[in-house]
Amino acid sequence: MTRRRLLLAVDGGNSKTDVAVVAEDGEVLATARSGPFTPHSAGVAAAVDEIERGVREALAALARGADGAGGPAAPVGGFDHVAAYLANADLPAEEEALARELAARGLGPDVVVRNDTFALLRAGASAPWGVAVVCGAGINAVGVSPTGEVARFPALGRVSGDWGGGSGLGEEALWHAVRAEDGRGPATALADVVKEWAGTATVEELVLGIHFGRVDGARLHELAPGVFAAAAAGDAAAAGLVERQAAEVVVMAEVCLRRLGLLGTPAEVVLGGGVLRARDPLLTALLDEGFAARAPYAKVVVCGVPPIVGAALNGLERLGAPEAAKARLRARWEPQGAAGRLAGVTGPA
């Protein structure tokens, strides 16, 4: 009996790393989740260790017959293909370094590493092309044309012109809260949002806690829900942040569409990441308005399946799998919530 080829799909994010062992016919044999994928801070080797930890857990589950899958474990020589879509792989040189490290671990002879925005695009789009904007802890976007041309950004933070995501919103909320408390800025409900989140009597206490290392400043992204709540209640500073976030999402998508010559034709724009998946009413309305004005042909979709689906779909396409295999793969996750379009942003008929 011919052995089914096996694919290892990886979605590495700032908060977690998902792996899936998938057969070439689209059957998901095992999945696992490990810790954050942070090569910038932990180093390439330590980041890939997280992938390996997830792989070991997935293979152990497969050996136990977890997920009702059973079947053979991965061959000794590794997987037939590794499709790794990773946050913080923002530049081609970083993708190449991570691919070399994965290949050196013996996971498989054919390794593809790309930024995780490519996985979001494939997970949410109906075809292998379009535009994706991810707005989670940070913000990034990518576009792929029907002929395979790519538009992307360095996505290195403020130094490369980026603004927003949970971290950006949290930092700005703290900035407004500090200035409201000490009198340099107008009063804002964001001061109460910050104090409630931090459990402090003053905003200054939080600032000093971050300065002296008692509070992890990387957790400021947790303030994002409070920003949206304050904006919904009418706070001007918070509403301004939500408006700016919507504008950033729209302009990143618009630029990708323009670079690829897709601005004047129907094209899918996939939105993902925690900030956008939350479907905040104000943010959604602003996105509706922004896309209608600046990219009226865009067919905007909020991705309802995890990005690991996109990593696996790209891997199956690399293996030359048929459409039936891709449909079988999607069926594994789509009950968790199919993708949905934003009201009013479906493009001209």
Side-chain angles (χ1 to χ4, degrees), residues 244-305:
R244 186 178 178 187
Q245 183 65 89
E248 286 294 315
V249 171
V250 172
V251 76
M252 293 189 89
E254 178 192 8
V255 168
C256 287
L257 290 166
R258 182 185 300 113
R259 287 181 183 174
L260 298 174
L262 299 175
L263 194 57
T265 188
E268 289 176 314
V269 174
V270 179
L271 305 182
V275 171
L276 297 175
R277 285 199 312 271
R279 299 176 189 251
D280 174 76
L282 175 59
L283 180 61
T284 297
L286 291 167
L287 290 172
D288 284 349
E289 295 172 8
F291 278 108
R294 304 187 65 164
Y297 287 87
K299 299 181 177 181
V300 182
V301 180
V302 179
C303 188
V305 296

Side-chain angles (χ1 to χ4, degrees), residues 62-244:
L62 181 56
R64 294 192 304 268
D67 293 341
V76 174
F79 296 90
D80 296 280
H81 173 57
V82 178
Y85 290 77
L86 309 172
N88 303 307
D90 297 310
L91 302 171
E94 294 169 333
E95 293 172 339
E96 292 165 8
L98 289 162
R100 286 194 300 270
E101 182 69 20
L102 284 165
R105 305 287 180 106
L107 291 173
D110 182 39
V111 178
V112 169
V113 172
R114 303 205 80 176
N115 184 266
D116 59 342
T117 50
F118 289 95
L120 171 63
L121 173 60
R122 192 64 191 92
S126 60
W129 63 275
V131 169
V133 182
V134 60
C135 190
I139 189 168
N140 196 4
V142 69
V144 179
S145 76
T147 57
E149 297 172 280
V150 172
R152 62 190 297 188
F153 301 92
L156 302 176
R158 292 186 68 89
V159 70
S160 62
D162 310 323
W163 186 89
S167 295
L169 289 168
E171 290 169 1
E172 292 290 334
L174 179 57
W175 185 88
H176 282 287
V178 168
R179 294 173 69 87
E181 183 174 88
D182 67 19
R184 284 178 291 172
T188 170
L190 292 174
D192 292 330
V193 168
V194 167
K195 288 184 289 185
E196 182 177 351
W197 172 77
T200 58
T202 66
V203 178
E204 184 179 15
E205 285 183 54
L206 173 60
V207 171
L208 295 178
I210 293 173
H211 177 72
F212 288 111
R214 296 190 296 268
V215 178
D216 183 4
R219 290 183 55 216
L220 288 176
H221 67 89
E222 296 173 8
L223 287 168
V227 172
F228 288 109
D235 182 78
L241 295 180
V242 177
E243 290 167 4
R244 186 178 178 187

Side-chain angles (χ1 to χ4, degrees), residues 1-7 22-29 62 69-75 80 319 328:
M1 182 176 178
T2 303
R3 179 186 67 84
R4 291 185 295 177
R5 291 178 296 171
L6 294 181
L7 156 72
V22 182
E24 64 181 317
D25 61 4
E27 181 183 4
V28 179
L29 301 174
L62 181 56
D80 296 280
L319 292 177
R328 184 179 187 182

